Amino acid sequence: MELLKRLPKVDRLLEAPEIRSYLTEAPQVLIVEAIRETLEQLRTDIRNGKAGEADLAFETIVRSAAIQCAEAAARSLRRAVNGVGIVLHTGMGRAPLAESAQAALADAIVHYNTLQADRQTGGRGNRYIHVESLLCRLTGAEATLVVNNNAAATMLILNTLGEGQEVIVSRGELVEIGGAFRIPDVMRRSGARLCEVGATNRTHLKDYREAITAETGILLKVHQSNYRIIGFSKDVSIAELSVLAGEHGIYAVDDLGSGALIDLSRWGLPKEPMVQDSIAAGADAVCFSGDKLIGGPQCGIIVGKKEVIDKMKKNPLTRALRCGKLTFSALEATLRLFLDEKQLLVENPCIRMLTEQVDEIKKRCQRLRRRLLALESDRLQVDVIADRSEVGSGALAAVQLDTFVIAITVKGLSPDALARKLRMGDPIVFGRIKDERFLLDGRTLREDEFNLIRSALGRVLLEMH
Ligand SMILES: *Cc1c(COP(=O)(O)O)cnc(C)c1O
């Protein structure tokens, strides 16, 4: 136990220049804690006979404490490079925002604003007006409401229009979205009762008609976002459901999930149901995510008939589910881009990534390859190869897009080990593994990230010497 006594004091480590520099980057408590953890780990290693003379050199201890300090100094939620190729990656924050949305956000973060201040009267106004006319213009709806996410939107609609009543849904549409969002569970929580109709693969209009009773409040259609029923299948359109609901004085509601505002099939993607079509078909309320195919901030958008939306605005749940100024500022800027399609295709990052031509992606991969080869390591092999990437986030389920990737091999490291080092390093880089190779997908990479990738890979190679 002689060795234990030789461990340096926390104060002495704090004075080492490599560690002291972190004090300007992070609160002292965090740095002290990181040093204590390093020393504690060493104590454990000594007791277990895993640490010897060499591990106790002051410089060695400083080096491992500095690594812990770097981790402690960095924020937990931070920038990462998406080389996975999934454009709407929920784990990586879904949609990166357009520049105009960034500017609006920066303004809203720093200054006071007109969130709910009525400029005409000087009194308190309404926070929904900033996006209401835009959303009505884009979708043809009479009124809109924005809440925290689409799960909240679904909950609010069911609670407002269906509490204590029956909601009829096709068995083919009882979906589970990632993160334990299941239509039957949401229904129960909302106070509405689920009434399932049809079969998993086929549901007919008469199934809904025969299920309607005096207790029925809503006919609900849910978009099969993240799966497809193919083959002998049939579902009932929102147009047919709207007519049927109208005949019985009940509501027709469409949960679209992704909610496309433009038709991406013009770029070779499959046709997603569009919000404006559901409104034109007569739906009373339609809901969709702000951060899926819209490419905006996280939120749930409800559009529909004024009388129906007004009911929801009066529901006390709306207050609990409401969004803040950051969401409204980013959403307004995002939606404005949809008024000009040319601008939208260039400036909305998600739509740009989804519609980009594959030879552009290939060229980008080739430029990145050259940049990485400039690291001049004989351990490193970089190839540009054709592959397929996913859209993600339940949008355009089961759709794979042609893409190009760069495949990186580092001699002496397995693909898993390389992936882990790049994930755990700084800058943080995520990729995918296929056929024993680590891949970075050019579809979701940006030119201004090349330096980050190079420095992340450079660090990995350096550590191997
Ligand atoms: C994604 C999705 C949701 C959940 O939306 P969030 O914005 O993630 O809360 C709900 N319903 C459908 C059909 C979806 O695709």
Side-chain angles (χ1 to χ4, degrees), residues 110-348:
V110 179
H111 308 290
Y112 289 107
N113 55 55
T114 56
L115 179 65
Q116 217 171 317
D118 188 325
R119 290 166 64 205
Q120 294 285 355
T121 64
R124 187 191 267 254
N126 157 7
R127 66 178 60 208
Y128 302 106
I129 58 160
H130 308 294
V131 293
E132 185 138 44
S133 61
L134 270 169
L135 278 168
C136 290
R137 186 198 284 250
L138 291 167
T139 65
E142 293 169 7
T144 74
L145 183 56
V146 179
V147 289
N148 191 45
N149 53 24
N150 192 37
T154 313
M155 174 69 96
L156 179 62
I157 293 174
L158 292 174
N159 179 263
T160 310
L161 308 178
E163 192 178 20
Q165 291 173 290
E166 276 180 2
V167 177
I168 304 179
V169 190
S170 157
R171 290 200 170 85
E173 298 174 3
L174 293 173
V175 310
E176 174 181 310
I177 312 291
F181 176 91
R182 282 182 172 173
I183 289 293
D185 300 338
V186 175
M187 192 88 74
R188 214 167 300 122
R189 283 293 166 141
S190 72
R193 288 193 308 280
L194 173 64
C195 172
E196 301 174 27
V197 294
T200 306
N201 59 333
R202 286 173 78 83
T203 304
H204 305 272
L205 187 60
K206 75 172 184 355
D207 295 326
Y208 290 89
R209 186 180 292 124
E210 286 165 7
I212 294 177
T213 67
E215 306 268 281
T216 308
I218 301 176
L219 305 182
L220 173 67
K221 185 164 178 63
V222 184
H223 181 43
Q224 298 165 348
S225 302
N226 48 8
Y227 68 106
R228 287 285 178 270
I229 297 175
I230 50 170
F232 188 57
S233 66
K234 167 161 181 20
D235 64 347
V236 179
S237 73
I238 188 65
E240 293 169 286
L241 290 183
S242 300
V243 171
L244 183 60
E247 285 166 11
H248 290 83
I250 57 177
Y251 299 107
V253 172
D254 201 358
D255 174 4
L256 283 180
S258 306
L261 289 177
I262 62 163
D263 181 5
L264 291 171
S265 68
R266 280 151 56 208
W267 289 270
L269 289 133
K271 190 165 167 83
E272 272 281 301
M274 304 221 296
V275 182
Q276 45 275 53
D277 291 346
S278 293
I279 292 294
D284 293 290
V286 180
C287 64
F288 52 101
S289 294
D291 55 349
K292 288 185 181 169
L293 288 175
I294 309 292
Q298 179 192 304
C299 60
I301 301 171
I302 307 172
V303 297
K305 300 199 172 135
K306 182 162 187 317
E307 166 246 335
V308 175
I309 300 286
D310 282 345
K311 271 201 176 120
M312 291 185 216
K313 285 184 178 162
K314 291 196 195 103
N315 186 333
L317 256 186
T318 299
R319 178 63 175 77
L321 303 175
R322 86 175 183 190
C323 308
K325 60 186 176 184
L326 303 187
T327 304
F328 281 104
S329 68
L331 182 60
E332 182 187 8
T334 303
L335 291 172
R336 282 169 80 103
L337 291 176
F338 281 86
L339 297 176
D340 180 344
E341 193 179 282
K342 260 206 219 102
Q343 202 188 3
L344 176 75
L345 288 169
V346 180
E347 294 186 23
N348 181 305

